[in-house]
Amino acid sequence: MKLSVIVTAKNNAKTIRECISRILVAPPRDKEVIVVYGMSTDRTEKIIEQFRGKVKILRDDVSPGSAINTGVLHSSGDILFYVEGHSFVSSDIFIKTLKAFREDDKLGYLIFKRYVPRCFDGNKCQKLINVWRKNSGGTMGQFRGFRKKAFFDVGGFWIYPFGADDLEFATRIYGRGWRIKVLETRSWDVPRENFPNVFKYYLFKVGPSEYLWYEKYRNHPYALHEYGRKARWLKIPSLIVLYNLMLKRFFAPIYAVKIALKEKLFSFIPFYVAAQLCYILGFILASLFY
């Protein structure tokens, strides 16, 4: 069972060197490493070039999903692992990945839970993001393993829109009968560094992308599996999913106050509420124009 690790990078000059270095030293030694970069405005490409000979370097300027697909199509492994260029793998993540796929022939997709290192603080924006992550749990799209056979079975990652590619891929994986598993590891990523980028991310990427996912899959069995546990009272499948995707975000102030009191960090309230309002606006705008 051979492993191919795919790294996507764009404007990751501050992190890409450590990202690739950690991947190269993490066992197993015989893994293949492929870096797919998009045209950047910083020194990302120059740093990646320093690893030529140790990694395979490709370019894709279309979208995150397209970049992953490009990496897979140029890979030789039967197990693929995806890492974003601002993320750092733990030393055991690939061993855990291979073990999981060896133990279950029907496992198609492996995702890792969020991990927030205590040693990382960052600036005010990054600190607030990490407080959010620490309290929300969930999984990280920055670290995903998948079987190449499953990848081709479902037709790869969607190329457009530019977000929710992990959610959409999991939906089709589940629909084709492959199993999905969640594991834990001390792998982490560097959050966005400023508030405008965070708000743009939710307004122009997450909100619209998840609306398009909702429009396509709101009655899909995976949607009900993923979102239907706490809102069965709504009865209608599409409403259950809509409630979990968007309507719960109208209650953002309540959640924000709860976390602010717990963490004694009251600046979390305007930050979290603003991010969720951007998501709601992006979701609504997408519903009007698509």
Side-chain angles (χ1 to χ4, degrees):
M1 184 174 283
K2 183 175 179 180
L3 175 71
S4 292
V5 181
I6 299 166
V7 183
T8 60
K10 183 174 182 179
N11 293 324
N12 296 129
K14 293 182 179 179
T15 56
I16 191 63
R17 188 189 308 279
E18 184 175 355
C19 173
I20 298 173
S21 297
R22 283 177 177 251
I23 290 169
L24 289 173
V25 300
R29 290 186 176 181
D30 63 346
K31 64 184 175 296
E32 175 185 50
V33 181
I34 302 169
V35 181
V36 187
Y37 72 90
M39 187 171 63
S40 302
T41 56
D42 57 13
R43 298 180 60 253
T44 299
E45 295 96 325
K46 291 182 180 179
I47 296 172
I48 292 171
E49 278 294 330
Q50 296 172 10
F51 290 93
R52 189 172 289 278
K54 297 180 180 180
V55 306
K56 184 182 294 185
I57 301 174
L58 305 169
R59 178 172 170 177
D60 188 306
D61 289 310
V62 179
S63 69
S66 177
I68 302 172
N69 293 343
T70 295
V72 174
L73 294 175
H74 288 83
S75 68
S76 59
D78 49 343
I79 301 299
L80 289 305
F81 196 94
Y82 168 59
V83 180
E84 292 186 1
H86 58 97
S87 309
F88 306 132
V89 300
S90 62
S91 59
D92 63 348
I93 194 168
F94 301 135
I95 297 300
K96 284 186 174 182
T97 296
L98 290 171
K99 182 175 183 290
F101 281 106
R102 285 194 187 102
E103 292 176 346
D104 187 353
D105 290 339
K106 288 301 293 179
L107 179 62
Y109 198 30
L110 183 67
I111 318 168
F112 287 84
K113 286 186 177 180
R114 292 195 181 282
Y115 173 72
V116 179
R118 292 182 180 178
C119 61
F120 180 79
D121 191 15
N123 61 29
K124 186 173 183 179
C125 179
Q126 293 171 324
K127 182 177 181 179
L128 290 169
I129 293 171
N130 276 340
V131 167
W132 184 356
R133 289 174 169 179
K134 184 176 70 172
N135 286 279
S136 65
T139 57
M140 295 192 75
Q142 291 89 340
F143 307 100
R144 320 174 211 166
F146 50 95
R147 200 179 294 273
K148 182 179 279 187
K149 185 177 179 181
F151 173 89
F152 284 112
D153 186 28
V154 302
F157 289 84
W158 71 3
I159 295 175
Y160 182 84
F162 299 141
D165 50 276
D166 51 345
L167 174 62
E168 198 271 344
F169 185 75
T171 305
R172 286 183 286 121
I173 283 281
Y174 186 91
R176 294 289 294 179
W178 292 95
R179 279 193 277 270
I180 301 171
K181 189 173 185 178
V182 178
L183 293 179
E184 294 187 31
T185 183
R186 292 192 172 188
S187 298
W188 56 285
D189 79 310
V190 176
R192 286 170 174 78
E193 294 182 312
N194 59 72
F195 295 111
N197 282 345
V198 173
F199 300 143
K200 285 193 296 184
Y201 172 69
Y202 281 93
L203 176 61
F204 296 116
K205 184 175 180 180
V206 181
S209 297
E210 293 197 1
Y211 166 75
L212 292 175
W213 176 87
Y214 167 77
E215 185 62 30
K216 186 173 182 178
Y217 295 111
R218 56 187 170 184
N219 293 308
H220 193 280
Y222 181 75
L224 300 181
H225 168 79
E226 187 74 5
Y227 297 109
R229 299 169 189 170
K230 296 182 179 180
R232 294 288 184 187
W233 52 273
L234 285 170
K235 304 299 183 184
I236 302 172
S238 59
L239 287 182
I240 292 173
V241 179
L242 180 65
Y243 170 78
N244 281 276
L245 274 179
M246 192 184 81
L247 296 182
K248 279 202 308 187
R249 297 172 192 260
F250 282 106
F251 304 109
I254 299 173
Y255 177 82
V257 170
K258 176 183 175 183
I259 300 305
L261 290 171
K262 177 184 176 183
E263 298 287 341
K264 297 177 181 174
L265 187 66
F266 290 94
S267 56
F268 181 78
I269 298 173
F271 162 75
Y272 181 76
V273 171
Q276 297 295 13
L277 288 176
C278 286
Y279 174 96
I280 291 170
L281 181 58
F283 194 98
I284 292 173
L285 289 175
S287 71
L288 296 175
F289 292 104
Y290 287 99

